[in-house]
Amino acid sequence: MRVFIVGTGNMAGGIATRALAGGHTVRLIGTDPAKATRLADALRERTPEADVAPAVPDAVGAADVVVLAVPFDAAKQVVTEYGDQLAGKTVVDISNPVDFSTLDSLTVPADSSAAQQLAEAAAPGTHVVKAFNTTFAGSLVAGEVGGLPLDVFIAGDNAAARDQVAELVSSGGINPVIVGGLRHARELEGIQLLHMALQTRPGGHGWMSAIKIVPP
């Protein structure tokens, strides 16, 4: 797949690492071209022969999957500005709309989620999928925690788009868990709020723990 990642931070690097491990092409779009170049160089060091490079926003039309590896407010701006360029594409929302000053509440209404709001703001035909929001960047680079592959929970209304994201996840050596329609993004954002809050308490896990379904 041709995976375009909007964002050049730690989560962008973690998701790109998994995508490159799966043999996919990765293009990075950021507000600072120099930072996108540095990230691409670092990713090539992690994965020799990787097909990764910076790109400009107008190139997003060539993408199979677009990952919004940016905070919620920035993601809203991206889907609005890109508009019809995203129509027909799988767009992955990884954001968690939390109150970062307290880490004790979500900032979206109780009957909504960040992913649902992005879907409403996006051009008709854009297939928004929630994924990667319950994983931390460091564990994505490693691909596992405690010797177990990461679970990536996936929610979306379009089955083909969900399956496409599941393929991206599994090809990178981690475990896709499809939970259902986009309405379940609310639960995924809520559980990650608790997961994030636990990191800041005494005995926290240094942003390297994971949420996983362990079968009997």
Side-chain angles (χ1 to χ4, degrees), residues 61-201:
D64 296 310
V65 175
V66 179
V67 179
L68 305 180
V70 293
F72 175 45
D73 288 341
K76 286 191 292 185
Q77 292 180 340
V78 169
V79 296
T80 300
E81 292 174 5
Y82 284 19
D84 290 340
Q85 293 184 77
L86 300 178
K89 298 193 180 300
T90 297
V91 176
V92 180
D93 166 40
I94 77 163
S95 69
N96 288 295
V98 305
D99 181 344
F100 285 98
S101 66
T102 61
L103 284 180
D104 68 356
S105 62
L106 297 175
T107 60
V108 293
D111 60 350
S112 185
S113 66
Q116 288 170 295
Q117 292 195 7
L118 292 180
E120 292 168 1
T126 303
H127 306 306
V128 175
V129 176
K130 191 79 182 185
F132 294 106
N133 77 296
T134 61
T135 57
F136 295 133
S139 58
L140 276 168
V141 172
E144 56 87 22
V145 171
L148 296 174
L150 292 181
D151 280 354
V152 174
F153 298 93
I154 301 168
D157 291 336
N158 183 279
R162 288 196 312 251
D163 290 345
Q164 192 174 33
V165 176
E167 179 185 351
L168 173 63
V169 169
S170 61
S171 66
I174 50 182
N175 185 46
V177 181
I178 296 177
V179 302
L182 199 62
R183 68 184 183 278
H184 292 302
R186 174 74 186 191
E187 287 79 32
L188 296 181
E189 293 168 7
I191 196 171
Q192 184 64 0
L193 167 65
L194 297 177
H195 189 202
M196 293 168 71
L198 289 173
Q199 308 305 308
T200 65
R201 297 180 183 179

